[in-house]
Amino acid sequence: MAKKVRVCFHDRCFDGTSSAAVFTRFYRECVDAQAGFAYTGLTHKPAGSLFDDGLFDAEENVIVDFKYSPSPKLTWWFDHHQSAFLTPEDAEHFRRDSSGHKFYDPHYKSCTKFLATVAGEKFGFRAEPLAELIRWADIIDGAQYDSPEAAVKMNVPATQIALVIEASKDELLTTKLIPELAAKPLAEVAQLPLVAAHFRELYRRHENSMDILRKKVEADRGVVFFDVTDHPLEGYNKFIPYYLYPDCFYSVGVSRSTQ
């Protein structure tokens, strides 16, 4: 029977989804080619435990691009966030780990690039086939676009896929995309029906949110301000204010959410 690998990843996040894809390919190529994978998206919660009882139900339990768990069932962990540890005790637990399978470096802009680098240096993983995915995860998660326009116009496959990952209401979409991202170029993934259909609708909403913000934003001494609480705007591209006012350094906004 094939070994089961449970990969937990930061959901609704291009970097989290890409990290899960890179880990999948790395594990199949360098650890166990016959392993079977199951994926669970994790989101930050305002209170309570981040990790439900029974989450780590496999022979290999993995977390990528998300906070550390001291569970003895966790076998692999990769993260790059400054806020990776919920408590000092968790940080100390990580420092005492001797498995050689848990890695942390907050100097990386993306977990995807960090994971690919570690897997290459320590386990001989050849990440070249995923170079495009790794490069774009670093750009998107590190906000390293050439311009605000590049982030807002979404005229390349990576940014189109990122919009779908972040804004689709299909709760299973990211878990469906992970194997595709692990195996196909971004241009092919963007043309998949489960991506293309969502993108068309989501981009229409994106253009609507741009129209709303264009009417609402005000700029003063390098700061963009806006209040959109009178509109049913669940989310918006955070680069829009800088696209509208390229000389600004900060944006301060108020919006309303069902949550």
Side-chain angles (χ1 to χ4, degrees), residues 174-195:
T174 46
T175 59
K176 296 173 185 174
L177 276 181
I178 291 168
E180 304 288 356
L181 289 169
K184 297 176 181 175
L186 293 180
E188 288 185 27
V189 175
Q191 292 303 314
L192 292 172
L194 78 162
V195 176

Side-chain angles (χ1 to χ4, degrees), residues 24-33 125-126 129:
T24 299
R25 185 148 177 162
F26 150 65
Y27 194 91
R28 282 198 172 128
E29 292 185 6
C30 298
V31 182
D32 186 346
F125 176 56
R126 296 181 61 83

Side-chain angles (χ1 to χ4, degrees), residues 14-205:
F14 187 81
D15 186 35
T17 307
S18 300
S19 296
V22 172
F23 183 87
T24 299
R25 185 148 177 162
F26 150 65
Y27 194 91
R28 282 198 172 128
E29 292 185 6
C30 298
V31 182
D32 186 346
Q34 305 304 316
F37 286 80
Y39 303 101
T40 300
L42 301 174
T43 56
H44 297 290
K45 301 175 185 177
S49 174
L50 290 176
F51 307 107
D52 297 331
D53 292 339
L55 175 62
F56 303 131
D57 61 352
E59 295 165 82
E60 293 268 38
N61 296 291
V62 184
I63 295 176
V64 295
D65 197 41
F66 204 76
K67 293 184 183 295
Y68 183 76
S69 169
S71 170
K73 295 180 180 179
L74 182 68
T75 53
W76 293 83
W77 179 66
F78 294 84
D79 194 34
H80 71 121
H81 293 103
Q82 293 281 355
S83 56
F85 303 103
L86 287 169
T87 67
E89 291 76 19
D90 284 356
E92 180 59 27
H93 188 277
F94 164 73
R95 284 191 288 268
R96 293 198 310 265
D97 182 78
S98 59
S99 68
H101 290 171
K102 298 175 184 177
F103 304 95
Y104 174 63
D105 191 337
H107 297 99
Y108 276 80
K109 299 289 187 183
S110 70
C111 186
T112 304
K113 185 172 181 178
F114 174 49
L115 197 163
T117 301
V118 171
E121 291 176 352
K122 294 188 176 295
F123 303 97
F125 176 56
R126 296 181 61 83
E128 289 84 355
L130 297 177
E132 182 189 29
L133 177 67
I134 295 164
R135 181 174 69 87
W136 272 104
D138 213 47
I139 291 171
I140 291 171
D141 214 50
Q144 299 180 97
Y145 295 97
D146 291 335
S147 67
E149 183 178 12
V152 171
K153 290 300 185 179
M154 303 181 193
N155 54 8
V156 296
T159 52
Q160 294 168 9
I161 297 166
L163 175 64
V164 172
I165 287 172
E166 293 170 7
S168 169
K169 293 185 178 180
D170 182 350
E171 295 183 358
L172 298 178
L173 185 134
T174 46
T175 59
K176 296 173 185 174
L177 276 181
I178 291 168
E180 304 288 356
L181 289 169
K184 297 176 181 175
L186 293 180
E188 288 185 27
V189 175
Q191 292 303 314
L192 292 172
L194 78 162
V195 176
H198 283 290
F199 175 74
R200 286 191 291 272
E201 174 58 29
L202 291 170
Y203 194 77
R204 280 195 290 269
R205 284 193 230 163

Side-chain angles (χ1 to χ4, degrees), residues 181-248:
L181 289 169
K184 297 176 181 175
L186 293 180
E188 288 185 27
V189 175
Q191 292 303 314
L192 292 172
L194 78 162
V195 176
H198 283 290
F199 175 74
R200 286 191 291 272
E201 174 58 29
L202 291 170
Y203 194 77
R204 280 195 290 269
R205 284 193 230 163
H206 168 65
E207 291 181 312
N208 179 59
S209 68
M210 263 206 294
D211 290 339
I212 292 171
L213 286 171
R214 187 176 282 110
K215 297 170 185 174
K216 291 284 187 176
V217 295
E218 298 177 7
D220 181 30
R221 289 170 292 177
V223 183
V224 171
F225 301 89
F226 56 94
D227 181 341
V228 291
T229 53
D230 56 342
H231 289 273
L233 203 61
E234 275 286 330
Y236 53 86
N237 183 301
K238 60 183 175 289
F239 292 96
I240 293 174
Y242 306 106
Y243 170 67
L244 298 175
Y245 288 89
D247 294 333
C248 284

